[in-house]
Amino acid sequence: MYIGRFVVVGPSVAAYRVSSRSFPNRKLIERPAGLTVVPTADAEETTNPYVSYNCVRTAGGHAVVGNGSHVDPITEKVERGYPPRDALAEALLAMDYEKDDYDTPRIAGVLASDGTAYVGIVRADAVLVRAVEEPTLVATYEKDAPEAIGFDAATAADAAREAYSAAFEHAVCAAGVSRRGVGDGYDTAVVNDP
């Protein structure tokens, strides 16, 4: 089954996977701001604004994951003290779904500094933001409402690997984030090629 890009959040790990039929030549790189999706050297040139973006950022004791440029305003809001739920809802609503041929939803999640976790999506017909107490998946296609999922990862590396290996079609790359402890920061990891 092809579900597109997806996040898995909560309560102490999160993961993001790029799955793509149209733009498979991408990878994750580490930058000071977090993890960024970029085209590989052999990717065709494109003017598509949805191909490269920050997908994992940490700030203010929070970790944010998502499938596009909305990761930045969510991160900025939680860093300024917004509650994670409000930061997700406001940024998703303000940026809306992607204005591409598929009305691709924007998905995101937050591991909060107080040990809580949230996941959200904005689609053409809805904005959903939920607190999560167990690993919860939301994807751009087919599984476009938050749902519990079996996800056993405890570390960032395990989360990235488990997301990459999940039984959904067209895996490109994956990121993982894990909380070291409440208030102790986060570890991140990437999987580009198996």
Side-chain angles (χ1 to χ4, degrees), residues 2 9 14 18 27-28 31 42 66 68 110 125-126 132 142 148-149 163 181 186-189 192:
Y2 180 64
V9 179
V18 177
K27 64 181 180 179
L28 286 163
R31 291 188 172 170
D42 59 346
V110 177
D125 65 339
V132 298
E142 302 298 328
I149 186 172
Y186 298 89
D187 294 316
T188 61
N192 281 313

Side-chain angles (χ1 to χ4, degrees), residues 1 27 35 63 73 77 84 86 97 99 125 154 158 162 172 189 194:
M1 173 189 292
K27 64 181 180 179
L35 304 177
K77 288 179 181 303
D86 297 353
Y97 59 92
K99 303 304 191 273
D125 65 339
D158 290 345
E162 190 169 344
V172 174

Side-chain angles (χ1 to χ4, degrees), residues 8-159:
V8 177
V9 179
S12 61
V13 299
Y16 171 64
R17 186 175 103 177
V18 177
S19 305
S20 181
R21 295 180 288 212
S22 304
F23 297 100
N25 296 325
R26 290 185 278 174
K27 64 181 180 179
L28 286 163
I29 61 169
E30 292 186 47
R31 291 188 172 170
L35 304 177
T36 303
V37 177
V38 298
T40 60
D42 59 346
E44 292 181 23
E45 282 193 40
T46 181
T47 58
N48 186 319
Y50 305 117
V51 171
S52 184
Y53 49 89
N54 292 325
C55 67
V56 174
R57 290 194 53 197
T58 59
H62 307 282
V64 179
V65 298
N67 72 321
S69 58
H70 55 285
V71 167
D72 295 329
I74 294 168
T75 303
E76 291 162 9
K77 288 179 181 303
V78 295
E79 187 173 32
R80 286 194 308 244
Y82 278 64
R85 182 194 67 133
D86 297 353
L88 271 171
E90 287 188 24
L92 290 173
L93 185 60
M95 298 208 56
D96 211 359
Y97 59 92
E98 295 177 1
K99 303 304 191 273
D100 59 8
D101 293 339
Y102 307 102
D103 293 340
T104 302
R106 291 182 189 266
I107 55 175
V110 177
L111 297 178
S113 61
D114 64 1
T116 58
Y118 298 84
V119 68
I121 182 171
V122 59
R123 310 183 307 232
D125 65 339
V127 177
L128 305 171
V129 175
R130 304 234 169 99
V132 298
E133 295 181 4
E134 60 185 323
T136 301
L137 176 137
V138 67
T140 56
Y141 308 117
E142 302 298 328
K143 295 183 173 286
D144 65 354
E147 65 179 63
I149 186 172
F151 198 77
D152 298 323
T155 67
D158 290 345

